[in-house]
Amino acid sequence: MSSEKPGHDDSSIWIPESIDIDPIVEDHVSRNNKNDGPPLEESMVVKVPSDAALNKSISNVRSRNGTSQGHCIKMERLQSGAADRGLKGLHFLDRTVAGKKGDAWKSIEKCFVQHAIDGKISKEKFGICVGMGAESKDFAEELFEALARRRNISVANGATLDQVRVFWEDMSNKDLESRFQLFFDMCDKNGDGRLSREEVEEVIVSSASANKLGNLNQHAAEYASLIMEELDPDHKGYIELWQLETLLREMTSSEDGTTSTGATVPRKYRTPIIKFVSRASKFIEDNGKKVWVITFWLAINLVLFIWKFKQYKEKGAFEVMGYCVCFAKGAAETLKFNMALIVLTMCRRTLTMLRESFLGRILPFDDNIKFHKLIAPAIVIGTLIHVVMHMTCDFPRIASCPKQKFLTILGPDFDYNQPTYLGVVATVVGITGIVMVLIMAFSFTLATQYFRSVIKLPSPLHHLAGFNAFWYSHHLLIVVYILLIVHGYFLFLTKEWRKKTTWMYFVVPVALYAIERIHPFFRGKDHQASVIKAVVYTEDVLALYMTKPSGFKYRSGMYIFVKCADISGFEWHPFSITSAPDDDYLSVHIKASGDWTKELRNRFAQACVTQTTQTRRGSLLRKETKVHSICFSLSCFRYPKIMIKGPYGAPAQDYKKYDVLLLIGLGIGATPMISILKDLLNHMKIGSPQHDSLQNNHSDDIAESGKRGLQRAYFYWVTKEQTSFEWFKGVMDDIAENDQDGIIDMHNHLTSVYEEGDARSALISAIQKLQYAKNGVDAVSESRIRTHFSRPDWKKVLAELSSTHQNSEIGVFYCGNPSLAKKLKTYCEDLSLKSSTSFHFHKENF
């Protein structure tokens, strides 16, 4: 290789001398992944605008150069545009480590001191020292050996601090040629300047391990052969630096491209007043229903408190107990109201029916869980005021009141017997009150997030913590409602039954709740579902495919409750429906994250028979576990009995109201979005039995909402495990095959893989593109939808949508980590103010 000529920066590429490059016509064929960005800049050397042209460009270069001799072809430097921007990103250190030179070295030096033994750091600790994670251990060790070979340094007993400084400078070198040579040297274990198939395979294995790609690791030999086939068409048995560089350059440059985020520029000349009005208008538009409901609820509480406060201020009891009794009774009235209202928020069937009526336009039924959590603190506050006023003020004043005054004013209410303090506490009212407070305190405490997710009890008591503790303790509140009615019946200061209003508050909500819980057992609304297929995936995910009960109708985005009587006869757990409404089956995907779900997964795993099935595309296999009625010679294994209850309404079911959809799912949070995608997919299958009915329903929804109708759907699925893509591989392949008009734009993001440009993922990117160009299958997800590395830039994603779909209503549906939900909601609100596009953010709540 010739050295770099003076006057040239690192924005250049190596090319063979005197080769003829055939002009390549840009391929405008639509690709399955529509996120490839705009066309690349023109290069003085070669232009590869699509994956289909990739093999041709590489083959043309190989066939005209170096086919007669085994010598290394002389290279020279030419300036390049987009071709080298990708390789400029080829780096060996994480962005957090490769910061300012002085600061970055200080962190490495500090880590060296912590892990060094006798002033030297071992090969095994080198990765930790330079900021690579434990999963990159094998990759870091190979890099360590390559750095030592380059400098002719013996590191059998480890490297000193000065040597590590030299290694670090080599890794962080800004010169393109130096970085690429280092990568090649790392691959070239024997230092002969050539890469054999075995050496390529070893690097693939270490890269797959660093990126937690178990499936790709298993096919390392296959992918090594794929690379050799592309770069060594003459079967010499090796590839050289310039060949590997050409491959990676084509890969990185095809990912590059200066994509405009589309300009969502804020409106000019916006004054502070106009800005405030715009924000207020947008807030009211997005939160209007919640604002007026909460305001109305607070007003009712205030009116009830004041009414009861004034009522007791005019009674004779006020002369004995003063304002204490007024506060106690005012708080008690709000307590009765809120205890009744909180039951209504759990009447899911009733709320699901009401959200389909005109009330759905004025009441935020999707926020019933949030409202439930808002009422709970109000109940706590009311209880504290009521109890504190009675125990510290009212009861002592009753006991210490002059006897004559007591008999004159309160004698009839206490049968003319003045009680002591303990006497008042020992009455039915006192005892029921104390028991209710204890149960409520216990139940409310176990319902907090801290006790549900943080507190862990040792075995065998671990079943008493987490969701189980919340579930069973909440059912103790049934006792509280019974005691509350008894408590209200035996009140001291009220004798007429018409004025004992506690039961009046509860009669309607409790009746509705009781009907929902009891009535289905007699009318068959809790369906027993027959499992026709079960898939147990490696990442503790269970997919259940069940027969659809007669008359069971639902919309995409809804959820159901599932019960397994073999595990527990009382526990119901909510799961999003993953099948489309017109599918002839009902499906859910369950992540085994708690005691109940883990037990369910284990029971179905025992009842399943593993069989290997061939995928429709590509040469890769996947394991699928199916449920069959398997009879053994002596006995027949019985499948777990599954009951379902629902369906229940959720925000995602209203997706047809928007012009454009942005569906975002994190991990198992993709489940409600999959049902929507399947429903949209049915629209595309012209001639299918579902198409006409779905089309008519879609038209009705458009007419009701007055919108233009759904034009485009974007699905972003972010997961940290490669095996997660197995869950919905069939759906992804169906979309790639049937979405001829590009209605659905899918983006799979795998966060375990280092970002494009990182040396640990460089060969992974190359394999991914080659496999897709040759077989139409993504090497990472093993589907026909490409996988992106690292997390999406959500601000950029939303900005691009705002620019692409101006004057549109975009529904953003999210299911995942609450922390990201806050950021997405903020981005949506900001962009709605700064552009003509209106974003409507919805988060799934169970």
Side-chain angles (χ1 to χ4, degrees):
M1 305 294 289
S2 62
S3 60
E4 187 176 358
K5 295 181 180 181
H8 291 268
D9 61 13
D10 61 349
S11 182
S12 51
I13 61 172
W14 287 104
I15 64 168
E17 283 187 352
S18 305
I19 65 172
D20 297 323
I21 303 298
D22 290 337
I24 298 175
V25 179
E26 184 172 0
D27 184 8
H28 290 283
V29 177
S30 175
R31 298 184 233 178
N32 291 313
N33 188 341
K34 303 172 181 62
N35 194 32
D36 290 329
L40 300 175
E41 296 179 17
E42 296 287 347
S43 172
M44 296 176 61
V45 184
V46 62
K47 181 178 181 181
V48 184
S50 69
D51 293 324
L54 177 59
N55 294 335
K56 181 179 177 182
S57 65
I58 295 176
S59 299
N60 287 343
V61 174
R62 304 299 172 268
S63 62
R64 288 192 291 271
N65 297 276
T67 57
S68 59
Q69 304 291 335
H71 63 277
C72 180
I73 298 173
K74 184 180 179 181
M75 317 288 274
E76 67 178 12
R77 285 281 191 178
L78 286 181
Q79 292 297 323
S80 167
D84 270 335
R85 282 198 299 271
L87 285 182
K88 276 188 176 182
L90 185 67
H91 56 272
F92 295 88
L93 298 174
D94 291 334
R95 300 298 189 188
T96 54
V97 177
K100 292 183 179 180
K101 193 167 184 179
D103 296 338
W105 171 248
K106 286 181 181 179
S107 63
I108 294 176
E109 186 177 19
K110 181 180 179 181
C111 193
F112 179 92
V113 174
Q114 292 175 347
H115 296 280
I117 300 176
D118 297 330
K120 291 185 177 182
I121 194 160
S122 64
K123 177 176 66 174
E124 291 76 14
K125 296 292 184 180
F126 177 72
I128 299 176
C129 183
V130 297
M132 292 185 177
E135 65 279 354
S136 302
K137 180 177 180 294
D138 294 339
F139 188 92
E141 290 178 4
E142 293 179 4
L143 179 60
F144 180 80
E145 292 176 350
L147 290 164
R149 286 197 305 269
R150 284 163 57 92
R151 296 286 181 173
N152 294 321
I153 298 175
S154 176
V155 289
N157 298 321
T160 64
L161 181 61
D162 291 338
Q163 290 169 342
V164 171
R165 177 64 185 253
V166 173
F167 293 167
W168 173 73
E169 290 177 349
D170 284 347
M171 288 188 293
S172 57
N173 195 317
K174 295 184 179 180
D175 181 66
L176 170 63
E177 180 180 354
S178 176
R179 295 198 310 274
F180 195 83
Q181 183 67 56
L182 174 57
F183 183 78
F184 184 86
D185 290 342
M186 189 191 72
C187 302
D188 184 18
K189 301 295 179 62
N190 56 16
D192 63 353
R194 299 172 177 179
L195 297 184
S196 64
R197 192 195 67 81
E198 290 75 16
E199 288 176 323
V200 173
E201 182 179 347
E202 287 184 32
V203 178
I204 292 175
V205 170
S206 62
S207 297
S209 176
N211 291 279
K212 301 179 182 178
L213 300 177
N215 291 354
L216 192 142
N217 200 340
Q218 297 173 8
H219 299 283
E222 177 184 340
Y223 291 134
S225 299
L226 178 64
I227 291 177
M228 297 299 293
E229 178 184 338
E230 294 297 327
L231 301 184
D232 182 28
D234 298 309
H235 307 290
K236 297 177 182 178
Y238 62 86
I239 58 177
E240 296 176 335
L241 172 62
W242 70 275
Q243 293 169 301
L244 184 62
E245 182 180 3
T246 303
L247 171 68
L248 294 185
R249 177 175 294 110
E250 303 299 349
M251 303 311 162
T252 51
S253 63
S254 66
E255 287 296 330
D256 191 68
T258 317
T259 305
S260 172
T261 58
T264 53
V265 182
R267 294 170 186 166
K268 295 181 179 179
Y269 312 116
R270 174 170 288 178
T271 65
I273 296 178
I274 296 177
K275 187 175 182 179
F276 173 80
V277 172
S278 299
R279 286 187 178 274
S281 300
K282 180 60 179 174
F283 178 82
I284 293 174
E285 179 184 353
D286 293 340
N287 303 282
K289 290 191 288 187
K290 288 184 282 188
V291 169
W292 90 260
V293 166
I294 292 175
T295 302
F296 186 59
W297 168 68
L298 291 173
I300 292 177
N301 277 276
L302 182 61
V303 169
L304 289 174
F305 184 88
I306 294 175
W307 169 61
K308 212 65 177 179
F309 187 95
K310 289 185 175 180
Q311 187 181 83
Y312 272 83
K313 187 179 179 180
E314 297 172 358
K315 286 191 172 185
F318 180 78
E319 298 180 21
V320 176
M321 292 174 276
Y323 284 102
C324 294
V325 70
C326 298
F327 276 100
K329 292 298 183 179
E333 202 67 19
T334 64
L335 182 59
K336 290 185 285 186
F337 169 69
N338 287 319
M339 288 288 285
L341 188 61
I342 202 169
V343 175
L344 282 178
T345 62
M346 290 294 98
C347 296
R348 289 185 173 88
R349 281 189 178 143
T350 302
L351 297 180
T352 299
M353 290 187 294
L354 291 177
R355 80 188 306 279
E356 300 293 335
S357 67
F358 72 96
L359 292 175
R361 300 188 183 96
I362 58 178
L363 295 176
F365 289 107
D366 293 334
D367 295 306
N368 65 307
I369 300 298
K370 292 182 179 179
F371 194 40
H372 182 93
K373 294 178 180 179
L374 180 64
I375 297 174
I379 292 175
V380 172
I381 294 172
T383 302
L384 286 175
I385 295 175
H386 183 74
V387 171
V388 170
M389 289 295 102
H390 274 333
M391 300 293 287
T392 64
C393 184
D394 292 335
F395 290 178
R397 289 186 178 185
I398 289 175
S400 61
C401 179
K403 189 173 184 65
Q404 189 59 39
K405 182 179 180 181
F406 173 84
L407 294 175
T408 303
I409 300 175
L410 300 178
D413 297 319
F414 288 86
D415 295 330
Y416 296 97
N417 292 316
Q418 184 176 4
T420 62
Y421 181 88
L422 292 178
V424 178
V425 173
T427 60
V428 173
V429 175
I431 294 174
T432 55
I434 292 173
V435 174
M436 282 191 294
V437 170
L438 293 176
I439 295 177
M440 290 171 67
F442 179 71
S443 177
F444 285 17
T445 301
L446 294 183
T448 59
Q449 190 64 31
Y450 180 80
F451 280 87
R452 289 185 62 177
S453 59
V454 178
I455 296 296
K456 304 294 182 183
L457 297 178
S459 181
L461 300 178
H462 64 280
H463 292 290
L464 301 178
F467 181 83
N468 288 336
F470 156 77
W471 179 260
Y472 290 111
S473 64
H474 249 54
H475 280 72
L476 288 176
L477 293 176
I478 296 175
V479 178
V480 171
Y481 280 91
I482 295 173
L483 293 176
L484 192 56
I485 293 175
V486 175
H487 184 86
Y489 181 79
F490 286 96
L491 290 177
F492 294 127
L493 305 179
T494 304
K495 296 299 182 182
E496 297 181 31
W497 70 270
R498 291 182 290 105
K499 295 183 180 181
K500 298 178 179 181
T501 59
T502 303
W503 66 273
M504 298 180 186
Y505 281 99
F506 295 159
V507 61
V508 173
V510 172
L512 281 175
Y513 185 77
I515 289 173
E516 287 198 8
R517 294 298 299 269
I518 299 175
H519 182 63
F521 289 102
F522 299 102
R523 295 295 301 274
K525 295 299 181 181
D526 283 359
H527 307 280
Q528 181 174 351
S530 299
V531 178
I532 56 178
K533 175 182 175 183
V535 184
V536 181
Y537 294 102
T538 56
E539 202 189 336
D540 288 335
V541 169
L542 169 66
L544 295 180
Y545 297 83
M546 301 165 283
T547 55
K548 187 186 296 184
S550 177
F552 190 89
K553 295 182 180 180
Y554 63 94
R555 290 190 181 187
S556 292
M558 285 185 166
Y559 67 97
I560 59 174
F561 275 82
V562 176
K563 180 178 76 171
C564 180
D566 295 344
I567 300 176
S568 173
F570 302 100
E571 291 187 43
W572 292 88
H573 295 261
F575 301 101
S576 296
I577 302 173
T578 53
S579 54
D582 282 274
D583 287 340
D584 56 2
Y585 61 88
L586 185 69
S587 67
V588 292
H589 286 66
I590 301 171
K591 175 77 170 179
S593 56
D595 294 334
W596 186 90
T597 50
K598 287 179 180 178
E599 181 63 22
L600 183 70
R601 188 258 184 208
N602 293 337
R603 289 187 180 239
F604 271 97
Q606 294 172 3
C608 290
V609 176
T610 303
Q611 65 179 14
T612 304
T613 57
Q614 184 81 26
T615 56
R616 291 184 296 174
R617 305 280 179 179
S619 60
L620 302 178
L621 301 176
R622 68 176 181 139
K623 290 281 187 179
E624 192 170 83
T625 308
K626 295 183 178 179
V627 170
H628 298 284
S629 181
I630 304 173
C631 293
F632 299 93
S633 56
L634 297 178
S635 62
C636 182
F637 193 90
R638 184 178 67 88
Y639 306 131
K641 182 181 178 182
I642 296 297
M643 301 285 290
I644 61 173
K645 181 166 60 177
Y648 299 111
Q653 75 179 68
D654 296 326
Y655 71 92
K656 292 181 181 179
K657 295 181 179 180
Y658 300 100
D659 304 324
V660 179
L661 292 181
L662 175 58
L663 310 174
I664 302 173
L666 304 190
I668 198 65
T671 50
M673 317 308 171
I674 292 298
S675 179
I676 295 175
L677 294 178
K678 286 184 177 180
D679 197 17
L680 294 176
L681 194 59
N682 285 334
H683 286 277
M684 303 171 194
K685 296 179 179 179
I686 306 296
S688 65
Q690 298 92 346
H691 178 264
D692 293 336
S693 62
L694 285 171
Q695 193 67 36
N696 292 335
N697 292 338
H698 186 52
S699 300
D700 293 341
D701 288 336
I702 294 172
E704 289 178 8
S705 61
K707 304 293 183 182
R708 290 174 291 180
L710 185 61
Q711 302 168 3
R712 194 80 180 273
Y714 298 86
F715 176 48
Y716 282 79
W717 185 15
V718 183
T719 182
K720 62 181 180 180
E721 298 289 344
Q722 182 189 15
T723 53
S724 301
F725 296 121
E726 281 289 318
W727 307 342
F728 308 116
K729 179 180 177 296
V731 178
M732 293 187 284
D733 287 342
D734 284 344
I735 291 174
E737 182 176 345
N738 295 287
D739 187 14
Q740 303 298 329
D741 298 326
I743 302 298
I744 300 175
D745 197 349
M746 292 193 67
H747 301 266
N748 294 336
H749 285 259
L750 185 60
T751 59
S752 68
V753 180
Y754 291 95
E755 62 181 351
E756 282 141 358
D758 194 301
R760 287 167 286 188
S761 62
L763 266 185
I764 305 298
S765 298
I767 292 169
Q768 184 187 38
K769 299 295 174 56
L770 286 174
Q771 171 76 353
Y772 196 87
K774 182 178 181 180
N775 300 319
V777 174
D778 181 71
V780 177
S781 67
E782 300 180 6
S783 73
R784 298 178 63 191
I785 302 297
R786 285 192 190 169
T787 303
H788 302 278
F789 302 153
S790 73
R791 292 174 175 81
D793 183 344
W794 295 114
K795 197 169 187 178
K796 180 180 178 182
V797 169
L798 292 166
E800 288 177 342
L801 289 179
S802 178
S803 177
T804 304
H805 302 283
Q806 298 181 15
N807 300 307
S808 297
E809 300 281 335
I810 299 181
V812 181
F813 296 93
Y814 172 77
C815 185
N817 195 306
S819 60
L820 179 57
K822 295 178 181 179
K823 294 181 181 179
L824 290 172
K825 185 176 181 180
T826 301
Y827 294 155
C828 290
E829 292 173 350
D830 290 343
L831 285 170
S832 295
L833 291 172
K834 298 175 181 178
S835 68
S836 61
T837 306
S838 181
F839 290 88
H840 302 269
F841 180 79
H842 304 275
K843 179 183 177 297
E844 290 294 314
N845 299 301
F846 290 119

